[in-house]
Amino acid sequence: MTKTTNNGDSRSSPLRSKIASHSASLSAKLQEHQSNIFTPHARKTIRSFSPSEAAKLLGVAEGYLRTSAVELEKKASVGSERDFSPALAGGRRMYSVHDIAAMRAHLDKPARSNGRYLPHRREGEELQVISVMNFKGGSGKTTTAAHLAQYLALRGYRVLAIDLDPQASLSALFGNQPELDVGENETVYGAIRYDEERRPIQEIIRGTYIPDLHVIPGNLELMEFEHDTPKALLQRKPDDILFFARLQAAIKDVEDAYDVVVIDCPPQLGFLTLSALTAATSVLITIHPQMLDVMSMNQFLAMTSALLDEIAEAGAEDRNNWMRYLITRFEPTDGPQNQMVAFLRSMFGENVLVNPMLKSTAVSDAGITNQTLFEVERAQFTRSTYDRALESMNNVNAEIESLIKATWGRS
């Protein structure tokens, strides 16, 4: 586009041209970085797990895992069980995610456990939809959503992760570069749009490198929903599904295939975020324990409350089972942070998760290569640094898992 000066000269807008130039340059560099990490056309993978890690994921003693592995290897060798072939490293077995899935299915034979190792939803248990949100960037929202989805899938749940953020950081963590790998109508926008181009949500769900973890990626196309909705409200027909219920309706079409849906929300309070709140059975709000972040969250809560009242009058249902605040990027030795955490706990009590997400170079360094703690090789870090970060992450996710089970009425 051009603009005309007073003397009639036509020239490019310096701001528009600079933004366009910077966007093109940055996109090219990011694609180059991605190609350096993963060779062209290569699929992202996940590392193998040590016996102790595999045993923790399965919820068994390491000795029992060794005995069961020998038993399963014998059955796999004669074809009576699914493929199971742990690699050997340093004289010990290393388990791939597929090995862990095979072991989980083996352990969960009806005569053995009747659902202990495959914790899928049972009759009468509602699909859990967890919306992870924050009004302010930098709170660890996407990191939390990605690790939660992976943790639950590695624990045996059937998980769908939905990237509702146009910035699509969750998609990149799961190996879907928004500029390269996500085409037109391949985000959840394709399933909730208002025109004849709308498509079934089943067509846009993708598999990942972890069994039973599926993803719907995002990109800038999601912003179209923010632009389309005001027009759709003005031209609404009697049988149209209102904007806030469209995501919930799309998820309902695939609810039988999953136990948990994890939604990474955009860091603003728009139509997409309100859709995620309506679809949610649970809400997780990440909060960095600094005064500016808490003040920002106060504004987010005030605006959210007012908007939820508005859409409730329009027929939105409240299906929420629980809402929790998660303290993220927490530094235990930081005095002001400890004071802020104490303040939040005094205000909100049990609505603040017991376990905080610790600040760690392991998390930030893994993010440089678009990896999570479950994917990155432990040898890349000081052992204590990695173990401390993973323990913190697992403690948070185990607490959320316990909330899911409690909602289902399980002990």
Side-chain angles (χ1 to χ4, degrees):
M1 296 181 64
T2 59
K3 69 177 183 180
T4 303
T5 60
N6 291 335
N7 60 9
D9 292 335
S10 180
R11 65 185 184 186
S12 297
S13 162
L15 177 61
R16 292 200 302 273
S17 60
K18 181 175 288 188
I19 289 174
S21 172
H22 287 187
S23 173
S25 299
L26 183 57
S27 179
K29 284 294 182 184
L30 288 173
Q31 291 176 26
E32 179 184 340
H33 174 67
Q34 183 74 2
S35 296
N36 290 334
I37 299 171
F38 306 108
T39 56
H41 310 298
R43 294 181 64 85
K44 190 178 181 187
T45 59
I46 188 170
R47 66 178 175 86
S48 294
F49 293 84
S50 68
S52 62
E53 290 176 312
K56 288 179 181 177
L57 288 171
L58 291 165
V60 299
E62 196 172 334
Y64 185 59
L65 173 64
R66 284 195 297 268
T67 303
S68 299
V70 171
E71 178 183 329
L72 184 53
E73 280 181 318
K74 290 178 180 177
K75 290 187 175 183
S77 66
V78 297
S80 62
E81 289 282 358
R82 61 194 293 181
D83 184 49
F84 178 76
S85 54
L88 289 176
R92 65 175 182 172
R93 291 180 176 87
M94 296 295 291
Y95 298 87
S96 70
V97 287
H98 298 284
D99 292 329
I100 292 174
M103 176 61 74
R104 190 179 294 283
H106 172 67
L107 292 172
D108 205 68
K109 294 296 184 183
R112 290 172 176 265
S113 69
N114 194 25
R116 175 182 173 188
Y117 299 101
L118 282 175
H120 296 171
R121 281 194 298 139
R122 302 162 190 167
E123 186 177 353
E125 293 178 342
E126 182 184 25
L127 173 72
Q128 296 301 291
V129 182
I130 303 175
S131 290
V132 185
M133 56 183 55
N134 188 286
F135 194 52
K136 195 172 186 294
S139 68
K141 173 181 62 65
T142 298
T143 300
T144 298
H147 283 89
L148 175 61
Q150 290 188 346
Y151 171 90
L152 291 173
L154 290 169
R155 291 280 291 168
Y157 298 90
R158 300 166 300 167
V159 182
L160 174 63
I162 301 178
D163 194 346
L164 211 60
D165 188 346
Q167 297 175 84
S169 299
L170 182 76
S171 302
L173 275 175
F174 285 171
N176 295 281
Q177 280 299 113
E179 303 95 342
L180 298 174
D181 305 322
V182 186
E184 185 178 352
N185 229 24
E186 292 184 349
T187 71
V188 80
Y189 172 69
I192 62 175
R193 61 190 300 165
Y194 298 95
D195 58 22
E196 65 280 358
E197 297 297 319
R198 184 159 56 91
R199 58 192 301 202
I201 192 173
Q202 294 91 334
E203 295 181 3
I204 55 178
I205 294 174
R206 303 183 180 192
T208 70
Y209 38 90
I210 299 176
D212 287 331
L213 173 57
H214 297 161
V215 63
I216 299 178
N219 64 15
L220 290 174
E221 177 185 68
L222 288 165
M223 288 302 299
E224 295 298 321
F225 189 70
E226 303 289 350
H227 301 151
D228 293 348
T229 296
K231 181 179 178 181
L233 288 172
L234 289 173
Q235 301 176 348
R236 181 177 176 245
K237 300 174 183 177
D239 58 342
D240 283 348
I241 300 175
L242 281 169
F243 75 90
F244 53 78
R246 299 181 80 84
L247 180 60
Q248 180 183 345
I251 292 173
K252 188 173 181 59
D253 288 341
V254 293
E255 67 177 343
D256 290 343
Y258 299 102
D259 305 305
V260 182
V261 176
V262 177
I263 304 176
D264 184 30
C265 298
Q268 69 264 354
L269 199 53
F271 296 119
L272 286 169
T273 300
L274 287 172
S275 299
L277 279 167
T278 304
T281 60
S282 306
V283 174
L284 188 63
I285 300 175
T286 55
I287 175 66
H288 183 220
Q290 298 278 13
M291 179 56 74
L292 288 177
D293 294 78
V294 173
M295 291 171 65
S296 174
M297 186 182 74
N298 178 46
Q299 297 302 310
F300 169 75
L301 294 175
M303 288 186 287
T304 301
S305 175
L307 289 171
L308 287 178
D309 285 343
E310 292 290 333
I311 63 174
E313 291 183 7
E317 57 180 322
D318 185 353
R319 308 190 305 144
N320 189 260
N321 295 314
W322 52 263
M323 184 186 82
R324 292 292 186 275
Y325 299 97
L326 168 62
I327 306 298
T328 60
R329 298 172 56 208
F330 178 57
E331 299 175 76
T333 58
D334 187 313
Q337 281 199 19
N338 277 287
Q339 292 177 7
M340 185 56 69
V341 171
F343 169 74
L344 291 171
R345 293 194 188 282
S346 69
M347 288 286 295
F348 302 129
E350 65 176 12
N351 292 305
V352 181
L353 289 180
V354 173
N355 294 286
M357 194 80 76
L358 299 183
K359 182 178 181 180
S360 174
T361 56
V363 176
S364 54
D365 288 355
I368 293 175
T369 52
N370 283 348
Q371 291 180 293
T372 67
L373 289 179
F374 296 118
E375 298 166 354
V376 73
E377 292 291 343
R378 184 187 188 194
Q380 295 182 26
F381 305 95
T382 304
R383 177 173 293 186
S384 60
T385 298
Y386 177 83
D387 289 349
R388 181 169 171 266
L390 187 61
E391 180 183 18
S392 169
M393 195 75 70
N394 284 338
N395 287 342
V396 168
N397 290 326
E399 188 173 351
I400 296 171
E401 182 186 8
S402 70
L403 290 170
I404 294 171
K405 287 182 175 180
T407 299
W408 286 333
R410 302 185 193 179
S411 58

